[in-house]
Amino acid sequence: DFDAGTVDAAGNSAQMYLYNAPVTNSSLYLNGKYGLGDPDGYLAEAPISGFSYNSFTVEVDYNPVDFLAGHQTIITGVPLYRWFSLRHNSGKLEVTLNNQEQTDVIPDSALQPGRWQSVLCSVDVGARKIVTFLNNTRVADIDLPVGFQFNIIGTPQENFQKTFYFANYSNGDAF
């Protein structure tokens, strides 16, 4: 929650950067307008110090006003490589890896507009497993291929872009 505003309550990471994204009633409000090129668009980025690409868990509690046809980003990692994303895909939760090279739509994951939902996704590259929960119900286990690694590994950006966004700067969609 955003009870303390946009600072990391644990004190480990830098404060979130927000533009046209107010915190209201302990919640971050995102207007759905893509931030690049639209003066009314938003930018919301959360840097994570000490982040490990090998093992992490991300949880997003959100209340979407509606869902447009096709894909909509819920949260994505790093603007340049989009190594991890949770998206809405025609009413289902979708996990994408490495700029949509691997895409897994989760059949038993009916997302609902107009109500609060919780999505939790835990990634363990060493165990080659992604586990996903929707509203505290385990909805999918995704197996990663042998030798899998995120496409950001080994790039000059690997240590500098450990950040989550709520927009995908590849295909121009925003939560």
Side-chain angles (χ1 to χ4, degrees), residues 71-76 86-88 165-168 173-175:
H71 307 280
Q72 283 180 293
T73 295
I74 298 169
I75 193 167
T76 191
L86 294 174
R87 303 191 310 183
H88 158 271
Y165 288 78
F166 299 89
N168 184 322
D173 78 317
F175 180 78

Side-chain angles (χ1 to χ4, degrees), residues 43-173:
L43 176 63
E45 60 181 57
I48 312 294
S49 299
F51 180 82
S52 170
Y53 296 105
N54 293 320
S55 177
F56 63 91
T57 299
V58 63
E59 180 178 12
V60 180
D61 296 331
Y62 69 106
N63 182 356
V65 173
D66 60 18
F67 291 129
L68 303 174
H71 307 280
Q72 283 180 293
T73 295
I74 298 169
I75 193 167
T76 191
V78 184
L80 297 177
Y81 291 87
R82 291 155 306 275
W83 45 269
F84 172 83
S85 290
L86 294 174
R87 303 191 310 183
H88 158 271
N89 181 346
S90 302
K92 303 291 183 191
L93 181 63
E94 180 176 63
V95 178
T96 73
L97 307 172
N98 292 337
N99 204 18
Q100 295 84 235
E101 268 183 31
Q102 180 175 336
T103 300
D104 293 279
V105 177
I106 301 170
D108 296 327
S109 65
L111 300 175
Q112 303 290 322
R115 66 174 257 221
W116 282 99
Q117 299 158 95
S118 175
V119 174
L120 184 140
C121 190
S122 187
V123 177
D124 186 337
V125 173
R128 298 183 21 239
K129 184 72 70 185
I130 298 175
V131 179
T132 307
F133 291 81
L134 176 61
N135 299 323
N136 299 316
T137 300
R138 192 170 183 159
V139 291
D141 288 10
I142 299 168
D143 294 321
L144 297 172
V146 173
F148 175 85
Q149 73 175 20
F150 289 108
N151 60 356
I152 194 165
I153 303 298
T155 72
Q157 300 299 318
E158 179 179 353
N159 293 317
F160 302 105
Q161 301 239 347
K162 297 178 177 184
T163 304
F164 283 95
Y165 288 78
F166 299 89
N168 184 322
Y169 294 105
S170 170
N171 62 11
D173 78 317

